Amino acid sequence: MLPEAAPASAPAAAPDLSAEAAPTLVDQRIPVLTLGVGMALMGLGIGFLGLRMRRR
């Protein structure tokens, strides 16, 4: 027979969810600066591709 495996435990990085309520949307907000920088980089990338395609 195979030896019994130890019960699975949560990883060390996992938050302790035993007595806490689920996080609300306020806790999961993304800073506006991050979104703005991402949109600006996407715009620059699309513009770069547009100029490269136009030159051919």
Side-chain angles (χ1 to χ4, degrees):
M1 258 197 189
L2 295 173
E4 289 189 28
S9 62
D16 183 24
L17 298 176
S18 59
E20 296 180 15
T24 61
L25 290 177
V26 176
D27 297 335
Q28 299 176 358
R29 284 191 351 202
I30 300 174
V32 176
L33 181 64
T34 305
L35 294 174
V37 169
M39 290 177 63
L41 289 174
M42 281 180 52
L44 287 172
I46 292 171
F48 175 76
L49 289 177
L51 287 176
R52 294 282 298 179
M53 292 176 69
R54 182 177 168 213
R55 289 182 185 172
R56 289 185 174 195

